Amino acid sequence: MIVRKLLDQLKSKEFRDYLMSTHFWGPVANWGIPLAALADTQKHPSFISGKMTLALCGYSLMFMRFAWRVQPRNLLLFACHFTNECAQLTQGARFINYHYIQGGDKQDHKK
């Protein structure tokens, strides 16, 4: 019963229209940003740009608000920017820890 309803919904004209809209493809294309940020969490923190991380935090916050306020709500876009916000906050914490708590710049210059 539930599977049948799901299949019927996937075959509907509304769903096909959604798949052909910018409401779907915009967020799909945007997923490259958080995926790159998540991959960057495995790199050495000396490569993190504090200014870019801060800019991307602001960018994702603004687009999370936009995705929530636009009608109909774009939850796929919201999820994309929520993921990016979390990844950027992680990178920001790594940046602060490396440069200001551990004194990473001083360690690098001694080598």
Side-chain angles (χ1 to χ4, degrees):
M1 184 81 172
I2 294 173
V3 174
R4 180 75 177 152
K5 284 184 179 182
L6 180 62
L7 288 174
D8 288 343
Q9 187 172 358
L10 291 175
K11 292 178 185 178
S12 72
K13 180 179 178 351
E14 290 84 16
F15 187 73
R16 285 192 311 267
D17 288 345
Y18 172 68
L19 286 179
M20 296 300 135
S21 72
T22 56
H23 213 71
F24 175 76
W25 287 107
V28 167
N30 238 352
W31 271 99
I33 297 169
L35 292 176
L38 290 171
D40 285 349
T41 62
Q42 302 304 308
K43 294 181 180 174
H44 194 270
S46 64
F47 293 108
I48 300 170
S49 166
K51 291 178 183 178
M52 183 56 79
T53 299
L54 182 63
L56 286 169
C57 279
Y59 162 80
S60 282
L61 280 174
M62 287 187 300
F63 274 93
M64 281 170 51
R65 183 182 184 280
F66 170 80
W68 190 257
R69 298 293 303 252
V70 71
Q71 292 299 321
R73 281 192 176 135
N74 194 333
L75 297 180
L76 186 57
L77 184 64
F78 184 87
C80 171
H81 286 289
F82 180 80
T83 302
N84 190 47
E85 185 68 25
C86 293
Q88 295 303 329
L89 289 172
T90 299
Q91 289 293 81
R94 292 179 69 224
F95 177 83
I96 291 168
N97 183 46
Y98 180 75
H99 289 285
Y100 297 104
I101 297 172
Q102 293 179 348
D105 287 337
K106 295 171 191 156
Q107 292 174 1
D108 289 343
H109 294 298
K110 288 181 183 177
K111 291 181 181 177

